[in-house]
Amino acid sequence: MSKKKEITKAKLDFKTDWAYAPAPEDSGHISLKKQYDLFINGEFVKPNSKKYFATYNPATEQKIAEIAEADEKDVDKAVKAARKAFEKWSKLSGKERGKYIFRIARLMQERAREFAVIETMDGGKSIRESRDIDVPLAANHFFYNAGWADKLEYAFPNRNPKPLGVVGQIIPWNFPLLMAAWKIAPALAAGNTVVLKPAETTSLTALKLAELIRDSGLPNGVVNIVTGAGKTGAAIVNHPDINKIAFTGSTDVGKLIQRSISGTNKKLTLELGGKAANIIFADAAIDQAVEGIVNGIFFNQGHVCCAGSRLFVQESVADIVIRKLKDRMETLIVGDPMDKNTDIGAINSKEQLLKINEYIKIGKNEGAEIYQSSCAIPSKGNFCRPTLFLDASQSHRIVQEEIFGPVLTVQTFRTIEEVIEKANNIPYGLSAGVWTDKGSKIFNLTNKLRAGVVWANTYNKFDPASPFGGYKESGFGREGGLHGLMPYLNL
Ligand code: NAI
Ligand code: MG
């Protein structure tokens, strides 16, 4: 441990000139620095501009730390380090690469608690979700892809798989550590080197991952992590020596990136927004379906690209489903993300809360009937009550546009044809859910729904072995599984 102001005591000591976030009751043994630098060529370096920006705990609105802002010169340094590292890394045997990736996975499991606490402090998601879903899944992505590193020839027979070179990866704030794992693990397994940028409101777990990567002994420059906002992201996209861009985030920025790299040789995968239909047929197991609706929209405060944000209920069961859904919503606890009983944590940022509240206003003005659970919400911090819009119609903006919050629109339907037509009649095509007792209906719908992922009698289930990605304005390319390796290889 360096002599820098690192805090390793059981409780964080935040007596400084800033109004730092106080230590959560249960934060034993997590170590956070006051200030975070860029991770380039295996070490932490100051940003060229000397500029830092604050990251906040969205549940308390208190500052947690300062994060370096990378400019074009820093990005160039990171790309050069990655290019140099590529020469050696791409020549290592798959077996050797796999060993490093396995080591990262194991270290992540060892430090799981620290990652979970920091993820929740920095991003606002409930500690139960960070601990039980995000961190274990992130480690699993490294385990899964480590296994492919020495089997690429077998995975793609007679296609002579070769790495692309230096890949630039830009990730969002809804699953910060998990998205870093989704991006870095397959890139390394395929033999590429990486320059990754986390989202500006949630850099901390990516920087913790940088510390882990340094400790893992991964050769310098194989993974570089630069922090900053859109300008830093654009510097990665526009760097001439990048071979591929992998982006997850808003459709607007995705389109911008697509325009910026057109005419270059850079490869691109985009994982963008969504507005998934979650379809409940009259023959479904109603109580399970209600749990699936709740998990579909309220998981991670609804900050989920594949969230089941449009509910379709068959008319004959609409009354009972909505009554049960309202009852279930009353039991949801909204509040302190660090509390193990919390179901819905903090909205990731003030900006996102404003956006959600704006859509709630739009929904009311469009004439949909609003229902919000009556739970108490903290007076401080960014919080939003679980919200339904009943009697929503297909032309409403709240039905057509991605809200990215705990807001569900409800529509009813009579026939299969009608619901397929409505489910597909939006600009997005990332995911969908189908709840029915009949297997034939499931097969019929999975073929006709224009969605990359269709869940049947479950929702928001993720596995490193299963590919994920969308159609239309939800982007292109797949992540996860064998399909997720392909965009990182020349075949
Ligand atoms: P965003 O698309 O601006 O941010 C995602 C990432 O892109 C961040 O790392 C950001 O710094 C980076 N970025 C921003 N501008 C860039 C540029 N010009 N070039 C390269 N990188 C750039 O998303 P934002 O503004 O945080 O959220 C707005 C809306 O986008 C949300 O309300 C939600 O609807 C949607 N969104 C969807 C996500 C998904 O997983 N599909 C994730 C995040 C946001
Ligand atoms: Mg933050």
Side-chain angles (χ1 to χ4, degrees):
M1 184 116 335
S2 76
K3 280 185 233 90
K4 279 187 211 136
K5 287 176 193 155
E6 291 187 349
I7 305 157
T8 50
K9 283 176 259 165
K11 284 216 167 171
L12 295 172
D13 178 6
F14 281 128
K15 278 185 220 121
T16 61
D17 41 343
W18 297 332
Y20 271 117
E25 280 310 305
D26 188 30
S27 66
H29 304 303
I30 78 157
S31 65
L32 279 176
K33 293 187 277 192
K34 263 182 76 170
Q35 208 173 60
Y36 283 85
D37 291 319
L38 309 169
F39 184 65
I40 297 175
N41 204 27
E43 53 181 16
F44 287 93
V45 296
K46 302 254 169 252
N48 170 57
S49 68
K50 313 267 185 312
K51 280 193 204 153
Y52 291 81
F53 59 94
T55 190
Y56 297 90
N57 180 335
T60 62
E61 297 177 80
Q62 279 170 308
K63 186 163 164 177
I64 307 173
E66 291 200 329
I67 312 287
E69 184 184 320
D71 65 13
E72 283 168 10
K73 283 196 177 143
D74 300 306
V75 168
D76 184 54
K77 210 157 118 185
V79 173
K80 286 203 167 96
R83 177 61 59 194
K84 190 156 166 255
F86 179 70
E87 298 312 318
K88 282 191 184 161
W89 179 248
S90 60
K91 290 191 183 80
L92 275 189
S93 69
K95 194 172 156 201
E96 285 305 308
R97 282 204 315 276
K99 279 189 202 165
Y100 284 110
I101 307 169
F102 273 124
R103 199 177 298 153
I104 293 171
R106 283 195 300 270
L107 282 172
M108 191 172 282
Q109 286 183 319
E110 279 172 23
R111 300 179 191 181
R113 189 161 173 284
E114 187 180 19
F115 275 109
V117 170
I118 295 171
E119 195 74 309
T120 286
M121 278 177 73
D122 200 21
K125 68 175 68 204
S126 77
I127 188 71
R128 218 174 50 214
E129 286 176 9
S130 306
R131 183 194 64 191
D132 298 346
I133 298 170
D134 292 52
V135 180
L137 250 182
N140 279 344
H141 274 270
F142 283 103
F143 275 119
Y144 174 81
N145 283 287
W148 279 124
D150 63 349
K151 300 174 195 70
L152 296 173
E153 297 284 345
Y154 160 81
F156 306 102
N158 306 318
R159 294 179 72 184
N160 193 21
K162 288 274 175 286
L164 302 175
V166 178
V167 302
Q169 306 182 318
I170 298 165
I171 59 171
W173 41 262
N174 51 345
F175 294 92
L177 180 69
L178 183 57
M179 287 303 109
W182 274 40
K183 295 266 185 289
I184 294 173
L188 297 189
N192 303 282
T193 57
V194 167
V195 176
L196 174 126
K197 190 194 85 64
E200 53 272 34
T201 57
T202 53
S203 307
L204 285 178
T205 45
L207 291 162
K208 277 278 147 191
L209 176 60
E211 288 175 13
L212 182 158
I213 284 171
R214 179 196 59 193
D215 300 348
S216 76
L218 188 77
N220 292 344
V222 173
V223 172
N224 305 274
I225 295 182
V226 294
T227 42
K231 251 179 105 180
T232 310
I236 297 176
V237 170
N238 296 324
H239 195 289
D241 200 31
I242 291 264
N243 300 98
K244 178 208 158 68
I245 294 289
F247 172 78
T248 300
S250 64
T251 297
D252 287 347
V253 173
K255 287 179 178 171
L256 204 76
I257 290 176
Q258 199 172 9
R259 277 200 294 276
S260 319
I261 71 164
S262 68
T264 73
N265 280 329
K266 291 170 192 166
K267 287 187 190 291
L268 178 66
T269 43
L270 296 175
E271 206 268 90
L272 309 175
K275 191 77 180 178
N278 202 0
I279 303 167
I280 319 294
F281 285 97
D283 61 9
I286 297 294
D287 288 336
Q288 274 143 277
V290 168
E291 284 308 304
I293 297 166
V294 167
N295 175 44
I297 185 63
F298 301 127
F299 169 57
N300 200 33
Q301 298 76 244
H303 301 328
V304 183
C305 46
C306 53
S309 50
R310 289 183 299 148
L311 176 63
F312 287 94
V313 194
Q314 201 157 22
E315 227 171 61
S316 59
V317 291
D319 287 347
I320 185 167
V321 168
I322 288 159
R323 181 168 55 74
K324 285 187 180 232
L325 175 59
K326 284 179 175 174
D327 288 349
R328 180 69 176 90
M329 280 166 68
E330 285 301 320
T331 68
L332 295 174
I333 300 171
V334 181
D336 180 5
M338 209 56 83
D339 185 330
K340 292 185 189 85
N341 293 314
T342 293
D343 297 300
I344 301 178
I347 300 302
N348 183 266
S349 66
K350 265 260 127 43
E351 292 71 45
Q352 189 60 27
L353 182 60
L354 285 174
K355 179 182 162 183
I356 296 166
N357 286 337
E358 186 58 33
Y359 272 109
I360 290 179
K361 235 193 263 162
I362 291 170
K364 286 182 189 165
N365 290 339
E366 286 177 318
E369 182 198 335
I370 186 170
Y371 173 83
Q372 292 187 300
S373 70
S374 57
C375 62
I377 58 171
S379 54
K380 236 183 137 202
N382 310 331
F383 292 95
C384 180
R385 282 203 172 78
T387 302
L388 298 182
F389 275 109
L390 303 159
D391 302 324
S393 56
Q394 194 68 20
S395 60
H396 283 165
R397 283 184 63 194
I398 50 169
V399 168
Q400 291 289 328
E401 297 172 20
E402 184 179 52
I403 300 174
F404 226 58
V407 181
L408 178 68
T409 60
V410 183
Q411 294 169 265
T412 57
F413 68 94
R414 284 187 186 163
T415 65
I416 284 207
E417 292 70 29
E418 178 191 352
V419 77
I420 291 171
E421 157 76 26
K422 284 182 173 165
N424 287 337
N425 184 15
I426 42 151
Y428 298 106
L430 189 56
S431 59
V434 181
W435 298 79
T436 170
D437 203 25
K438 260 199 135 138
S440 57
K441 245 187 236 165
I442 292 171
F443 286 118
N444 183 11
L445 267 98
T446 43
N447 281 322
K448 292 186 177 142
L449 291 170
R450 288 296 284 165
V453 179
V454 182
W455 284 290
N457 295 327
T458 186
Y459 207 93
N460 275 339
K461 282 273 181 296
F462 306 98
D463 191 285
S466 120
F468 186 92
Y471 291 106
K472 300 193 278 189
E473 300 217 347
S474 293
F476 48 79
R478 294 292 177 265
E479 296 189 298
L482 200 51
H483 296 75
L485 285 164
M486 285 155 81
Y488 288 103
L489 289 166
N490 264 320
L491 290 169

Coordinates of all heavy atoms in Angstrom, one line a residue, residues 198-257:
P198 N -15.2 3.9 -18.0 CA -16.5 3.8 -17.3 C -17.4 5.1 -17.4 O -16.8 6.1 -17.9 CB -16.1 3.6 -15.9 CG -14.7 4.2 -15.8 CD -14.1 4.1 -17.1
A199 N -18.6 5.0 -17.0 CA -19.5 6.2 -17.0 C -19.0 7.2 -15.9 O -18.5 6.7 -14.9 CB -20.9 5.8 -16.9
E200 N -19.3 8.4 -16.1 CA -18.8 9.5 -15.2 C -19.4 9.4 -13.8 O -18.8 9.9 -12.9 CB -18.8 10.8 -15.9 CG -20.2 11.2 -16.4 CD -20.5 10.8 -17.8 OE1 -20.0 9.7 -18.2 OE2 -21.2 11.6 -18.5
T201 N -20.6 8.9 -13.7 CA -21.2 8.9 -12.3 C -20.8 7.6 -11.6 O -21.0 7.5 -10.4 CB -22.7 8.9 -12.4 OG1 -23.2 7.8 -13.2 CG2 -23.2 10.2 -12.9
T202 N -20.1 6.7 -12.3 CA -19.8 5.4 -11.6 C -18.5 4.8 -12.0 O -18.4 3.7 -12.6 CB -20.9 4.3 -12.0 OG1 -21.0 4.3 -13.4 CG2 -22.3 4.6 -11.4
S203 N -17.4 5.6 -11.7 CA -16.1 5.1 -12.1 C -15.4 4.2 -11.1 O -14.4 3.5 -11.4 CB -15.2 6.3 -12.3 OG -15.7 7.3 -13.2
L204 N -15.9 4.2 -9.8 CA -15.1 3.6 -8.8 C -14.9 2.1 -8.9 O -13.7 1.7 -8.6 CB -15.8 3.9 -7.4 CG -15.6 5.4 -6.9 CD1 -16.3 5.6 -5.6 CD2 -14.1 5.7 -6.8
T205 N -15.9 1.3 -9.2 CA -15.6 -0.1 -9.3 C -14.7 -0.5 -10.5 O -13.9 -1.4 -10.4 CB -16.9 -1.0 -9.3 OG1 -17.8 -0.4 -10.3 CG2 -17.5 -1.1 -8.0
A206 N -14.7 0.3 -11.5 CA -13.8 0.1 -12.6 C -12.4 0.4 -12.2 O -11.4 -0.3 -12.6 CB -14.2 0.9 -13.9
L207 N -12.2 1.4 -11.3 CA -10.9 1.7 -10.8 C -10.4 0.7 -9.8 O -9.2 0.4 -9.7 CB -10.9 3.2 -10.3 CG -11.1 4.2 -11.4 CD1 -11.5 5.5 -10.8 CD2 -9.8 4.3 -12.2
K208 N -11.4 0.2 -9.0 CA -11.0 -0.9 -8.1 C -10.6 -2.2 -9.0 O -9.7 -2.9 -8.6 CB -12.2 -1.3 -7.3 CG -12.4 -0.5 -6.1 CD -11.5 -1.0 -5.0 CE -11.0 0.2 -4.1 NZ -9.9 -0.1 -3.2
L209 N -11.3 -2.3 -10.1 CA -10.9 -3.4 -11.0 C -9.5 -3.2 -11.6 O -8.7 -4.1 -11.7 CB -11.9 -3.5 -12.1 CG -11.7 -4.6 -13.2 CD1 -11.6 -6.0 -12.7 CD2 -12.7 -4.5 -14.3
A210 N -9.2 -1.9 -11.8 CA -7.8 -1.6 -12.2 C -6.8 -2.0 -11.2 O -5.8 -2.6 -11.5 CB -7.7 -0.1 -12.5
E211 N -7.1 -1.7 -9.9 CA -6.2 -2.2 -8.8 C -6.0 -3.7 -8.8 O -4.9 -4.2 -8.7 CB -6.7 -1.7 -7.5 CG -6.6 -0.2 -7.2 CD -7.2 0.2 -5.9 OE1 -7.6 -0.7 -5.1 OE2 -7.4 1.4 -5.7
L212 N -7.2 -4.4 -9.0 CA -7.2 -5.8 -9.0 C -6.3 -6.3 -10.2 O -5.5 -7.3 -10.1 CB -8.6 -6.3 -9.1 CG -8.9 -7.8 -9.1 CD1 -10.4 -8.0 -8.7 CD2 -8.7 -8.4 -10.5
I213 N -6.5 -5.7 -11.4 CA -5.7 -6.1 -12.5 C -4.2 -5.9 -12.3 O -3.4 -6.8 -12.7 CB -6.3 -5.4 -13.8 CG1 -7.6 -6.0 -14.2 CG2 -5.3 -5.4 -14.9 CD1 -8.4 -5.2 -15.3
R214 N -3.9 -4.8 -11.7 CA -2.5 -4.6 -11.4 C -2.0 -5.7 -10.5 O -0.9 -6.3 -10.7 CB -2.3 -3.2 -10.7 CG -0.9 -2.8 -10.3 CD -1.0 -1.7 -9.3 NE -1.7 -2.0 -8.1 CZ -2.1 -1.2 -7.2 NH1 -1.9 0.1 -7.3 NH2 -2.8 -1.6 -6.1
D215 N -2.8 -6.0 -9.4 CA -2.4 -7.0 -8.5 C -2.3 -8.4 -9.1 O -1.6 -9.3 -8.6 CB -3.3 -7.1 -7.3 CG -3.3 -5.7 -6.5 OD1 -2.4 -4.9 -6.8 OD2 -4.2 -5.6 -5.7
S216 N -3.1 -8.6 -10.2 CA -3.1 -10.0 -10.8 C -1.9 -10.3 -11.6 O -1.7 -11.4 -12.0 CB -4.3 -10.0 -11.8 OG -4.1 -9.3 -13.0
G217 N -1.1 -9.2 -11.9 CA 0.1 -9.5 -12.7 C -0.1 -9.5 -14.2 O 0.8 -9.8 -14.9
L218 N -1.3 -9.1 -14.6 CA -1.5 -9.0 -16.0 C -0.5 -8.1 -16.6 O -0.2 -7.0 -16.0 CB -3.0 -8.4 -16.3 CG -3.5 -8.4 -17.7 CD1 -3.9 -9.8 -18.1 CD2 -4.6 -7.5 -17.9
P219 N 0.1 -8.4 -17.8 CA 1.2 -7.6 -18.3 C 0.7 -6.1 -18.5 O -0.5 -5.9 -18.8 CB 1.5 -8.2 -19.7 CG 1.1 -9.7 -19.5 CD -0.1 -9.7 -18.5
N220 N 1.6 -5.2 -18.2 CA 1.3 -3.8 -18.3 C 0.7 -3.4 -19.7 O 1.2 -3.9 -20.7 CB 2.5 -2.9 -18.1 CG 3.0 -3.1 -16.7 OD1 2.3 -3.5 -15.8 ND2 4.3 -2.7 -16.4
G221 N -0.3 -2.6 -19.7 CA -0.9 -2.1 -20.9 C -1.9 -3.0 -21.6 O -2.6 -2.5 -22.5
V222 N -2.1 -4.2 -21.1 CA -3.1 -5.1 -21.7 C -4.5 -4.5 -21.4 O -5.4 -4.5 -22.3 CB -3.0 -6.5 -21.2 CG1 -4.2 -7.4 -21.6 CG2 -1.7 -7.1 -21.6
V223 N -4.7 -4.0 -20.2 CA -6.0 -3.3 -19.9 C -5.6 -1.9 -19.3 O -4.8 -1.8 -18.4 CB -6.8 -4.0 -18.8 CG1 -8.0 -3.2 -18.4 CG2 -7.3 -5.3 -19.4
N224 N -6.2 -0.9 -20.0 CA -6.0 0.5 -19.5 C -7.4 1.1 -19.2 O -8.3 0.8 -20.0 CB -5.3 1.3 -20.6 CG -4.0 0.7 -21.0 OD1 -3.0 0.9 -20.4 ND2 -4.1 -0.1 -22.1
I225 N -7.5 1.8 -18.1 CA -8.8 2.4 -17.8 C -8.7 3.9 -17.6 O -7.9 4.4 -16.8 CB -9.4 1.7 -16.5 CG1 -9.6 0.2 -16.8 CG2 -10.7 2.4 -16.0 CD1 -10.2 -0.7 -15.7
V226 N -9.4 4.6 -18.5 CA -9.4 6.0 -18.5 C -10.8 6.5 -18.1 O -11.8 6.0 -18.5 CB -9.0 6.6 -19.8 CG1 -7.5 6.3 -20.1 CG2 -9.9 6.2 -21.0
T227 N -10.8 7.6 -17.2 CA -12.1 8.1 -16.7 C -12.4 9.4 -17.3 O -11.5 10.2 -17.8 CB -12.0 8.1 -15.2 OG1 -10.7 8.7 -14.8 CG2 -12.2 6.8 -14.6
G228 N -13.6 9.8 -17.3 CA -14.1 11.1 -17.9 C -15.5 10.9 -18.4 O -16.1 9.9 -18.3
A229 N -16.0 12.0 -19.0 CA -17.3 12.0 -19.5 C -17.4 11.8 -21.0 O -16.5 11.1 -21.6 CB -18.1 13.3 -19.1
G230 N -18.4 12.3 -21.7 CA -18.5 12.1 -23.2 C -17.3 12.5 -24.0 O -17.0 11.8 -25.0
K231 N -16.6 13.6 -23.6 CA -15.5 14.0 -24.4 C -14.4 13.0 -24.4 O -13.7 12.8 -25.4 CB -14.9 15.3 -23.8 CG -15.2 16.6 -24.6 CD -14.6 17.8 -24.0 CE -13.4 18.3 -24.7 NZ -12.8 19.5 -24.0
T232 N -14.2 12.4 -23.2 CA -13.2 11.3 -23.1 C -13.6 10.1 -24.0 O -12.7 9.5 -24.7 CB -13.0 10.9 -21.7 OG1 -12.8 12.0 -20.9 CG2 -11.8 10.0 -21.5
G233 N -14.9 9.8 -23.9 CA -15.4 8.7 -24.8 C -15.2 9.0 -26.2 O -14.7 8.1 -27.0
A234 N -15.4 10.2 -26.7 CA -15.2 10.6 -28.1 C -13.8 10.5 -28.5 O -13.5 10.1 -29.6 CB -15.8 12.0 -28.3
A235 N -12.9 10.8 -27.5 CA -11.4 10.8 -27.8 C -11.0 9.3 -28.1 O -10.2 9.0 -29.0 CB -10.6 11.3 -26.7
I236 N -11.7 8.4 -27.4 CA -11.4 7.0 -27.7 C -12.0 6.6 -29.1 O -11.3 6.0 -29.9 CB -12.0 6.0 -26.6 CG1 -11.4 6.3 -25.3 CG2 -11.9 4.6 -27.0 CD1 -12.0 5.6 -24.1
V237 N -13.2 7.0 -29.3 CA -13.9 6.6 -30.6 C -13.1 7.2 -31.8 O -12.9 6.5 -32.8 CB -15.3 7.2 -30.6 CG1 -15.9 7.1 -32.0 CG2 -16.2 6.5 -29.6
N238 N -12.6 8.4 -31.6 CA -11.9 9.0 -32.8 C -10.4 8.7 -32.9 O -9.7 9.2 -33.8 CB -12.1 10.6 -32.7 CG -13.6 10.9 -32.8 OD1 -14.3 10.2 -33.6 ND2 -14.1 11.9 -32.1
H239 N -9.9 8.0 -31.9 CA -8.4 7.7 -32.0 C -8.1 6.9 -33.2 O -8.7 5.8 -33.4 CB -7.9 7.1 -30.7 CG -6.4 7.1 -30.6 ND1 -5.6 6.3 -31.4 CD2 -5.6 7.8 -29.8 CE1 -4.4 6.6 -31.1 NE2 -4.3 7.5 -30.1
P240 N -7.1 7.3 -34.0 CA -6.9 6.5 -35.3 C -6.4 5.1 -35.1 O -6.5 4.3 -36.0 CB -5.9 7.4 -36.0 CG -5.3 8.3 -35.0 CD -6.3 8.5 -33.9
D241 N -5.8 4.8 -33.9 CA -5.1 3.5 -33.8 C -6.0 2.5 -33.0 O -5.5 1.6 -32.4 CB -3.7 3.7 -33.1 CG -2.9 2.4 -33.4 OD1 -3.1 1.8 -34.5 OD2 -2.1 2.1 -32.5
I242 N -7.3 2.8 -33.0 CA -8.2 1.8 -32.3 C -8.8 0.9 -33.4 O -9.2 1.4 -34.5 CB -9.4 2.6 -31.6 CG1 -8.8 3.4 -30.4 CG2 -10.5 1.7 -31.3 CD1 -9.0 2.7 -29.1
N243 N -8.9 -0.4 -33.2 CA -9.4 -1.3 -34.2 C -10.9 -1.6 -34.0 O -11.5 -2.0 -35.0 CB -8.6 -2.6 -34.1 CG -7.2 -2.4 -34.4 OD1 -6.4 -2.3 -33.4 ND2 -6.8 -2.3 -35.6
K244 N -11.4 -1.4 -32.8 CA -12.8 -1.8 -32.6 C -13.4 -0.9 -31.4 O -12.7 -0.7 -30.4 CB -13.0 -3.2 -32.3 CG -14.4 -3.6 -32.0 CD -14.5 -4.8 -31.1 CE -15.9 -4.9 -30.4 NZ -17.0 -5.2 -31.3
I245 N -14.6 -0.5 -31.6 CA -15.3 0.1 -30.5 C -16.5 -0.8 -30.0 O -17.2 -1.3 -30.9 CB -15.9 1.5 -30.9 CG1 -14.7 2.5 -31.3 CG2 -16.8 2.1 -29.9 CD1 -14.0 3.0 -30.1
A246 N -16.6 -1.0 -28.7 CA -17.7 -1.6 -28.2 C -18.4 -0.6 -27.2 O -17.7 -0.1 -26.3 CB -17.3 -2.9 -27.4
F247 N -19.6 -0.3 -27.5 CA -20.3 0.7 -26.7 C -21.6 0.2 -26.1 O -22.4 -0.5 -26.8 CB -20.6 1.9 -27.6 CG -21.5 3.0 -27.0 CD1 -21.0 3.9 -26.1 CD2 -22.9 3.0 -27.2 CE1 -21.8 4.8 -25.4 CE2 -23.7 4.0 -26.6 CZ -23.1 4.9 -25.7
T248 N -21.9 0.5 -24.9 CA -23.2 0.3 -24.3 C -23.7 1.6 -23.7 O -22.9 2.2 -22.9 CB -23.2 -0.8 -23.2 OG1 -22.8 -2.0 -23.8 CG2 -24.6 -1.0 -22.6
G249 N -24.9 2.0 -24.1 CA -25.4 3.3 -23.5 C -26.6 3.8 -24.3 O -27.3 2.9 -24.9
S250 N -26.8 5.1 -24.4 CA -28.0 5.6 -25.0 C -28.0 5.4 -26.5 O -26.9 5.4 -27.2 CB -28.2 7.1 -24.6 OG -27.1 7.8 -25.2
T251 N -29.1 5.4 -27.1 CA -29.3 5.2 -28.6 C -28.7 6.5 -29.2 O -28.0 6.4 -30.3 CB -30.7 5.0 -29.0 OG1 -31.1 3.7 -28.4 CG2 -30.9 4.9 -30.5
D252 N -28.9 7.7 -28.6 CA -28.4 8.9 -29.2 C -26.9 8.9 -29.4 O -26.3 9.2 -30.5 CB -28.8 10.1 -28.4 CG -30.2 10.4 -28.5 OD1 -30.9 9.9 -29.4 OD2 -30.7 11.2 -27.7
V253 N -26.2 8.5 -28.3 CA -24.7 8.4 -28.4 C -24.3 7.3 -29.3 O -23.3 7.5 -30.1 CB -24.1 8.3 -27.0 CG1 -22.6 8.1 -27.1 CG2 -24.4 9.6 -26.2
G254 N -25.0 6.2 -29.3 CA -24.7 5.1 -30.2 C -24.7 5.5 -31.7 O -23.8 5.2 -32.4
K255 N -25.7 6.3 -32.0 CA -25.8 6.8 -33.4 C -24.6 7.8 -33.7 O -24.1 7.7 -34.8 CB -27.1 7.5 -33.6 CG -28.3 6.6 -33.7 CD -29.6 7.4 -33.9 CE -30.8 6.5 -34.0 NZ -32.1 7.2 -33.9
L256 N -24.3 8.6 -32.7 CA -23.2 9.5 -32.9 C -21.9 8.8 -33.2 O -21.1 9.1 -34.1 CB -23.1 10.3 -31.6 CG -22.4 11.7 -31.6 CD1 -23.5 12.7 -32.2 CD2 -22.1 12.1 -30.2
I257 N -21.7 7.7 -32.4 CA -20.5 6.9 -32.6 C -20.4 6.3 -34.0 O -19.4 6.3 -34.7 CB -20.4 5.9 -31.5 CG1 -20.1 6.5 -30.1 CG2 -19.3 4.8 -31.8 CD1 -20.1 5.6 -28.9

